[in-house]
Amino acid sequence: MTDTRPNVLFLLTDQERADLLAPEGLPVETPNLDRLRDEGTWFDRAYTPVGICTSARASLLTGLYPHAHGMLNNSHEADAIRTDLPEGMPTFGERLAEAGYENTYAGKWHVGQTRGPESFGFEYFGGSDDHHDDLDVRYKRYKESLDVEEETVEDAVYADDGEGGMLVSGTSSLPPEATRTYFLAELTIEAIERRAEGEEGEDADAPFFHRTDFLGPHHPYVVPEPYASMYDPEEIEPWPSYAETFEGKPRVHEQYTRYRGVDDFDWETWSELVANYFGFVTFIDDQVGRILDALAEYELDEETVVVHAADHGDFTGSHRQFNKGPLMYEQTYRIPLVVRDPTRETVDESDAFVRLHDLMPTFLDWGDAEVPDGLHARSLLPLLVGDDTDDWPDAVYAQYHGDEFGLYSQRMLRTERYKFVYNGPDTNELYDLREDPHELRNLADHPHYEDAKAELQEALVERMNEVDDPLRKWVPKSFR
């Protein structure tokens, strides 16, 4: 009997802002991702459940918020609360494998120190970096096969982080085909080719799930030519949120510019970094184009769902910030999410509030695999096909627990008009996104917004109760 379940190709980027891919978004060349969006469904209100790599990726695997899976901060740092996901916790890779999918994986993992993709139902192809994961030797061998000189970085920009400076941006001496970004596309094309040719021993009728995790456009924004010169810094206008004064904001906001070593960066410096960030995005987009072309070449495009998302966003100078942290602004919490499903009729766009970890049950739905009980996520298939979703949440809830600078409790509720942020050790935040879309004015103490704030606080606690958030009994005490 022929297996009619679709293949799934999942392309995840690291720290890609939603406004890079949104219709009428930033002036960045992304023709291949644009094509994917135009042929599929764009989720205009997609958010990460948490703005840090390990935590978000663990939520994606499990369909749970971080407090439930336990990966509260990055697993590779010395202060990691957990170094690996708990044993026995259901993940979509394992469930798909049990359902007969052949799962492969390339690129960044960053969900644990000792248990990699092969512990979660995937065959790992390689492509990770030494900083986050120690899983790969193939990229080194690949570069050696190209006989290229050792990489150097020109036009380097460093943040003064008190440890000799952290590389933020620069131009790589490598040709594009010698970079890890290009190599990850090669691994993905290899997986597609292998599947199309049906290697001996594989079930030719079984569907496949392939995941590629690009390591960009995460900093350092080091890209090869011609991408490093593709965008002129002088033509990049300051972000509207660059007008940030930090007045009325939690103290950690201004302090983070010093933590990150960027407090003395002016817009001239930031525009250079943004230009390289844009170039990095276009470089990745070109690799996505190669991958999509391979799908078509091997006549797998009509039976393969393609999903593109990011683990979270990136400030790149917005609010004068670098990287991410305990600042729950749109630039880091809103993510790109596009789905092209050629196996069914789908809508062009959805404005429903969805989360990255909603992909977990969605993948299982495509695969007719068993969906675990107790998830904090919902399948996106009803939204994709335009079914009645009157019971879909009218807001999105997110968390933050801390990073390498220490633990810091935050909770967020984002509705169509407002955003409310609970900050455990500091002042709370309230933004009217209709009147202040760039989140410059904290209205938490404004008398005209007392009623709106009360409603948001009540709704936030309801969401926390729904997911058994351990702070649900304590957060309301800050509302008095």
Side-chain angles (χ1 to χ4, degrees):
M1 183 176 179
T2 301
D3 195 328
T4 59
R5 294 176 297 175
N7 306 314
V8 180
L9 173 63
F10 180 37
L11 305 175
L12 190 73
T13 49
D14 194 354
Q15 297 201 183
E16 179 187 354
R17 298 165 56 124
D19 50 8
L20 292 160
L21 189 55
E24 309 301 325
L26 297 171
V28 181
E29 295 295 321
T30 54
N32 299 294
L33 289 171
D34 290 348
R35 169 163 59 104
L36 194 64
R37 184 196 65 214
D38 293 343
E39 295 174 353
T41 301
W42 167 252
F43 288 89
D44 197 54
R45 291 174 175 168
Y47 286 79
T48 185
V50 58
I52 193 167
C53 295
T54 290
S55 304
R57 291 162 183 270
S59 289
L60 171 61
L61 278 174
T62 63
L64 300 172
Y65 278 103
H67 73 271
H69 59 62
M71 306 295 282
L72 300 183
N73 57 357
N74 278 334
S75 59
H76 69 287
E77 298 288 354
D79 66 343
I81 301 300
R82 292 192 62 95
T83 57
D84 290 280
L85 272 171
E87 295 276 356
M89 184 167 285
T91 64
F92 74 77
E94 294 165 292
R95 289 294 172 99
L96 285 176
E98 292 168 0
Y101 270 72
E102 296 192 1
N103 301 334
T104 50
Y105 193 118
K108 182 174 178 176
W109 171 241
H110 204 188
V111 191
Q113 294 186 14
T114 63
R115 300 170 65 215
E118 291 178 327
S119 297
F120 296 90
F122 298 96
E123 177 186 355
Y124 187 60
F125 275 32
S128 69
D129 68 337
D130 293 336
H131 177 61
H132 300 103
D133 307 295
D134 188 16
L135 301 171
D136 184 37
V137 295
R138 291 189 64 180
Y139 176 53
K140 180 180 179 182
R141 293 173 181 168
Y142 171 77
K143 281 201 301 182
E144 290 172 349
S145 73
L146 297 179
D147 194 26
V148 295
E149 295 183 2
E150 195 67 26
E151 181 181 24
T152 59
V153 178
E154 300 177 356
D155 303 320
V157 178
Y158 292 86
D160 181 12
D161 61 359
E163 299 177 0
M166 178 174 60
L167 179 63
V168 177
S169 178
T171 301
S172 173
S173 63
L174 295 175
E177 61 271 16
T179 64
R180 193 184 303 272
T181 300
Y182 190 97
F183 175 62
L184 287 174
E186 287 287 283
L187 292 178
T188 309
I189 294 169
E190 178 183 326
I192 293 169
E193 291 175 342
R194 191 178 80 169
R195 178 61 191 184
E197 294 168 359
E199 284 192 355
E200 185 178 352
E202 292 185 346
D203 183 354
D205 189 45
F208 72 82
F209 181 102
H210 178 84
R211 172 173 171 175
T212 292
D213 281 43
F214 288 98
L215 279 75
H218 192 293
H219 69 275
Y221 318 124
V222 174
V223 289
E225 293 292 5
Y227 303 96
S229 300
M230 188 168 289
Y231 298 93
D232 185 352
E234 294 185 1
E235 295 182 359
I236 298 175
E237 296 293 327
W239 308 114
S241 65
Y242 191 71
E244 180 66 73
T245 66
F246 306 111
E247 182 180 355
K249 303 293 184 75
R251 289 183 61 194
V252 72
H253 288 211
E254 185 171 11
Q255 191 155 318
Y256 241 60
T257 65
R258 295 191 290 273
Y259 274 148
R260 294 293 187 188
V262 297
D263 53 321
D264 63 347
F265 279 17
D266 57 16
W267 183 252
E268 182 177 358
T269 301
W270 276 119
S271 65
E272 294 178 15
L273 308 186
V274 173
N276 263 23
Y277 181 72
F278 286 177
F280 207 161
V281 172
T282 300
F283 185 27
I284 292 172
D285 182 82
D286 282 351
Q287 308 320 303
V288 171
R290 294 175 57 223
I291 293 167
L292 296 179
D293 288 347
L295 265 186
E297 178 184 349
Y298 288 100
E299 299 182 346
L300 292 171
D301 52 333
E302 292 302 317
E303 57 195 67
T304 302
V305 175
V306 182
V307 181
H308 168 62
D311 57 354
H312 51 77
D314 192 308
F315 278 119
T316 50
S318 299
H319 294 275
R320 303 181 180 267
Q321 302 289 341
F322 168 59
N323 200 10
K324 69 271 187 183
L327 306 93
M328 305 183 86
Y329 291 124
E330 294 291 282
Q331 291 84 7
T332 51
Y333 273 77
R334 184 176 172 230
I335 60 170
L337 176 55
V338 61
V339 176
R340 187 182 73 182
D341 184 349
T343 68
R344 67 197 76 211
E345 291 290 329
T346 59
V347 300
D348 294 334
E349 183 172 321
S350 171
D351 62 359
F353 284 106
V354 300
R355 295 82 49 89
L356 175 67
H357 58 301
D358 287 327
L359 288 174
M360 189 271 197
T362 308
F363 292 150
L364 298 182
D365 264 4
W366 274 314
D368 291 333
E370 182 182 359
V371 179
D373 293 331
L375 295 185
H376 302 152
R378 295 179 62 172
S379 172
L380 301 177
L381 288 192
L383 295 175
L384 277 171
V385 300
D387 283 352
D388 180 12
T389 53
D390 288 343
D391 64 339
W392 199 269
D394 59 359
V396 68
Y397 160 71
Q399 302 180 345
Y400 185 77
H401 301 270
D403 56 20
E404 58 264 33
F405 299 108
L407 297 182
Y408 186 100
S409 294
Q410 284 185 302
R411 301 295 187 268
M412 179 187 83
L413 189 77
R414 203 282 201 201
T415 68
E416 181 174 0
R417 178 172 176 178
Y418 295 109
K419 178 184 290 182
F420 178 78
V421 180
Y422 161 80
N423 290 284
D426 208 326
T427 184
N428 296 331
E429 299 166 77
L430 172 64
Y431 302 103
D432 184 340
L433 300 174
R434 186 180 68 187
E435 303 299 326
D436 176 27
H438 308 299
E439 301 172 275
L440 290 170
R441 188 181 182 195
N442 182 10
L443 301 169
D445 294 327
H446 197 295
H448 292 170
Y449 286 85
E450 282 298 322
D451 290 344
K453 183 173 70 170
E455 292 178 7
L456 291 162
Q457 290 171 341
E458 181 179 354
L460 174 62
V461 174
E462 287 177 1
R463 297 301 172 92
M464 296 176 72
N465 285 328
E466 289 171 3
V467 299
D468 292 328
D469 189 318
L471 292 187
R472 63 189 182 277
K473 294 181 180 179
W474 299 102
V475 168
K477 294 185 177 183
S478 75
F479 301 159
R480 295 176 182 172

